[in-house]
Amino acid sequence: MAKRNKVDEYADRVKETLADAWLPEIYRQRVLAKRSRAYNFEGLTANAPEIQHTLLGVELKVGRRRMLCPDLATARYLAIFARVGCDSVAVPYDITKVSQLADELESSWHRAFLLADHYTAAESENFKSRLRRKLSANIKTEINEAGAGTAVPEFKQNTRQNLER
């Protein structure tokens, strides 16, 4: 059995501490479990996303690319996944849930890195940087493996009422 890297051990410790508050876990349980639609970032690399308010509405700027968003909550939600560098993600179809999910996902993102800094207080800056990159890569991998769901949400076509009594 191969010896585990110290960075991997710390990354696993952060994930175990967060448990259900781990960003990919929130994504699987709260987004993919409900009706959602897929959103592709189409070749974007992990970057510092910016939310911009323009005359046309809210835009999410990632690198040189600008994406029009229907509202601020959706822009915040997508910014989290753009920061991670995901290829595609599921966006909840129920727009009333997007703001709360964006809050939870942002909180999870920041808590993961705060825990990493706490656990590695005695380590070098180089080691801390490697751990942050490892956490970010783990989050991206788990979200990409979970997938983005369907491009169009499912609608139940059966509207026929049960006439038997």
Side-chain angles (χ1 to χ4, degrees), residues 145-165:
E145 285 174 357
T150 59
V152 178
E154 294 180 15
F155 292 97
K156 293 184 179 178
Q157 297 295 322
N158 187 1
T159 59
R160 192 173 163 186
Q161 295 180 2
N162 188 358
L163 298 176
E164 295 177 26
R165 294 196 182 209

Side-chain angles (χ1 to χ4, degrees), residues 48-59:
E50 295 176 40
I51 296 174
Q52 299 180 336
H53 300 272
T54 67
L55 293 174
L56 299 175
V58 180
E59 290 183 345

Side-chain angles (χ1 to χ4, degrees), residues 79-134:
I80 296 159
F81 297 103
R83 186 181 306 130
V84 175
C86 294
D87 301 327
S88 59
V89 295
V91 178
Y93 193 73
D94 184 1
I95 60 170
T96 62
K97 306 290 185 210
V98 175
S99 181
Q100 182 182 6
L101 281 167
D103 290 341
E104 287 182 43
L105 293 168
E106 283 177 345
S107 176
S108 175
W109 172 263
H110 291 294
R111 282 183 64 203
F113 291 101
L114 285 172
L115 279 170
D117 288 343
H118 174 71
Y119 291 150
T120 59
E123 301 290 340
S124 68
E125 284 302 315
N126 187 17
F127 183 83
K128 290 178 183 180
S129 179
R130 286 192 352 242
L131 178 58
R132 286 187 211 107
R133 283 193 305 271
K134 179 67 176 174

Side-chain angles (χ1 to χ4, degrees), residues 21-36:
W22 174 243
L23 196 146
E25 193 62 30
I26 294 170
Y27 178 73
R28 281 189 289 269
Q29 290 178 0
R30 305 272 320 274
V31 178
L32 292 178
K34 300 209 169 46
R35 200 164 73 162
S36 61

Side-chain angles (χ1 to χ4, degrees), residues 5-21:
N5 186 332
K6 193 173 179 182
V7 172
D8 291 332
E9 290 174 11
Y10 276 112
D12 289 344
R13 187 173 172 194
V14 168
K15 181 180 176 180
E16 288 170 10
T17 302
L18 288 174
D20 285 343

